[in-house]
Amino acid sequence: MIRILRGLAHKYFSDEEAVILFLLILAGIVFVILFGAMLAPAIAAVIVAFILQGLVAKLNKMGVPEIVSIIGVFLIFLGVLIGFLFGLLPLIWTQVTSLAGEAPRIFREMQSYLEVLPQQYPTLISMEGINTIYNQVTTEAGRMTQWLVSFSLASIPDLVALLIYMVLLPILVFFFLKDRRYLLESISRMLPSQRPMMVRIWNEVNLQCANYVRGKAVEILIVGGVTYVSFKLLGMPYAALLSLMVGLSVVIPYIGAAVVTIPVAMIALFAFGWGSDFIWVMVAYGIIQALDGNVLVPVLFSEVNNLHPVAIIIAVLFFGGIWGLWGVFFAIPLATMLKAIFSAWPVKDQQAPT
């Protein structure tokens, strides 16, 4: 066993830079686990600044002075944030509470649809199975309704903390944009002067993750906006809530679209019944998904090295299980970073001396 461990250490950790990088990754993971919740505004600000930096760089290439680019991009971000907090968020919350109030009627109609299935397909579906499914769904819906009712009272401290975060986030984003070079130079002073592997990994991760994160932000806005306009024109209820869900679903490839299709179809069915309106809603939703997958994604991510579908699904399951919703959102950038690290990691073929 000792000989095997010595051979692995010689093969993968004989380079000093590899050892330092391994320790940095390990320290970063421990730091996020221990202090991630405490430093959530700072981590979110780093991610937002990373997304906005691409627009600042493009404005610089067009001849706009850097400080003017930073201020202009920051004002755009501030306007979007204010619009989300005071425009979209209250609308979504109103629709969520309205949907919770309509839940009993929706489930009564669902029961009437389900009761017909055993008569039409007696060999495939039994009434006992239908009743079991209905009882489970009703129980979960009751719990969700109780949570929504008690949310406004039980989560006042969380709302106060959220307001503080919303004040800190723009301030941190501005300074991360303005002092980006100074902060990066300060971090680089703590690293070895000769670090070709780290530079290679940084360049690849910066290119791939920047294109992916910024592309996903644009994709969320386009898909969510087009879905909202389409649903409003078709008279679909809860259009803002559903369009937000459809927009965020693009973050999780393959799985997100399949999961969001269920609430879209259910609400369309209960709003319009089996008819032409229901068909038009589902056709519009299918066209949006098809255009997203076949037109928008190739345009936005033409410079990104696509991961294998199996790797994407495993990354979503693994990081989602570790960090919950945040892990799901950043599963692909994290998988891209690991791919860059593994491809650049120095490996020696010769065996360790005995």
Side-chain angles (χ1 to χ4, degrees):
M1 179 63 69
I2 296 177
R3 184 177 180 181
I4 294 175
L5 294 177
R6 186 183 300 173
L8 292 175
H10 178 76
K11 185 176 182 179
Y12 295 104
F13 297 100
S14 58
D15 189 282
E16 179 182 356
E17 189 180 4
V19 176
I20 295 175
L21 179 60
F22 175 77
L23 294 176
L24 288 175
I25 294 173
L26 186 62
I29 294 173
V30 174
F31 182 83
V32 170
I33 293 175
L34 295 179
F35 305 104
M38 184 187 306
L39 298 177
I43 297 174
V46 170
I47 296 170
V48 173
F50 184 71
I51 296 173
L52 298 178
Q53 179 57 36
L55 184 56
V56 173
K58 289 184 179 180
L59 291 176
N60 289 339
K61 291 181 180 179
M62 296 170 58
V64 181
E66 184 174 8
I67 187 64
V68 177
S69 302
I70 292 174
I71 294 176
V73 170
F74 176 75
L75 291 177
I76 293 174
F77 161 71
L78 201 60
V80 172
L81 181 63
I82 292 174
F84 175 77
L85 290 177
F86 297 100
L88 183 59
L89 192 61
L91 178 60
I92 292 174
W93 179 250
T94 301
Q95 293 190 359
V96 169
T97 53
S98 176
L99 181 60
E102 290 289 324
R105 182 185 66 83
I106 291 176
F107 285 111
R108 284 196 300 269
E109 293 186 10
M110 184 181 71
Q111 185 181 20
S112 64
Y113 282 116
L114 293 176
E115 288 176 349
V116 179
L117 294 179
Q119 301 175 6
Q120 296 178 346
Y121 309 99
T123 59
L124 299 177
I125 303 174
S126 64
M127 184 59 70
E128 291 78 8
I130 292 296
N131 291 333
T132 301
I133 295 174
Y134 178 77
N135 291 333
Q136 291 178 350
V137 173
T138 305
T139 302
E140 294 298 327
R143 293 176 182 174
M144 182 61 67
T145 304
Q146 292 176 358
W147 177 81
L148 289 172
V149 172
S150 62
F151 179 82
S152 59
L153 297 177
S155 60
I156 291 178
D158 294 336
L159 293 177
V160 173
L162 180 62
L163 292 176
I164 296 175
Y165 289 172
M166 290 299 102
V167 174
L168 292 177
L169 180 65
I171 297 174
L172 291 172
V173 168
F174 177 76
F175 283 109
F176 283 147
L177 287 174
K178 186 176 74 71
D179 300 328
R180 179 180 63 89
R181 290 190 178 89
Y182 171 76
L183 294 173
L184 291 177
E185 290 175 359
S186 300
I187 295 174
S188 64
R189 294 193 196 101
M190 298 183 291
L191 300 176
S193 57
Q194 300 296 326
R195 48 181 187 275
M197 182 181 66
M198 293 184 184
V199 172
R200 176 184 170 187
I201 293 173
W202 167 254
N203 291 334
E204 184 173 353
V205 170
N206 185 47
L207 175 63
Q208 300 299 324
C209 289
N211 291 333
Y212 176 81
V213 173
R214 291 163 190 161
K216 277 300 176 184
V218 175
E219 186 183 6
I220 290 172
L221 293 177
I222 293 176
V223 173
V226 172
T227 303
Y228 178 76
V229 173
S230 302
F231 283 177
K232 288 294 289 185
L233 292 176
L234 293 171
M236 183 75 166
Y238 313 110
L241 176 61
L242 293 175
S243 61
L244 178 65
M245 295 172 61
V246 173
L248 294 178
S249 69
V250 303
V251 178
I252 312 173
Y254 314 114
I255 304 174
V259 172
V260 174
T261 301
I262 298 174
V264 171
M266 288 182 62
I267 292 178
L269 177 62
F270 295 129
F272 305 119
W274 296 105
S276 59
D277 291 335
F278 171 78
I279 295 175
W280 278 114
V281 169
M282 298 310 298
V283 168
Y285 175 73
I287 292 174
I288 291 172
Q289 293 292 341
L291 292 177
D292 174 46
N294 297 288
V295 178
L296 188 59
V297 169
V299 171
L300 293 176
F301 304 104
S302 59
E303 299 180 0
V304 178
N305 293 328
N306 293 324
L307 297 170
H308 194 276
V310 174
I312 292 175
I313 294 174
I314 292 176
V316 170
L317 295 175
F318 178 76
F319 292 111
I322 294 177
W323 290 312
L325 189 60
W326 289 111
V328 171
F329 281 171
F330 297 105
I332 296 180
L334 290 171
T336 303
M337 182 183 68
L338 290 177
K339 178 183 176 182
I341 292 174
F342 290 148
S343 62
W345 198 274
V347 178
K348 290 192 175 182
D349 295 331
Q350 65 268 26
Q351 295 181 354
T354 56

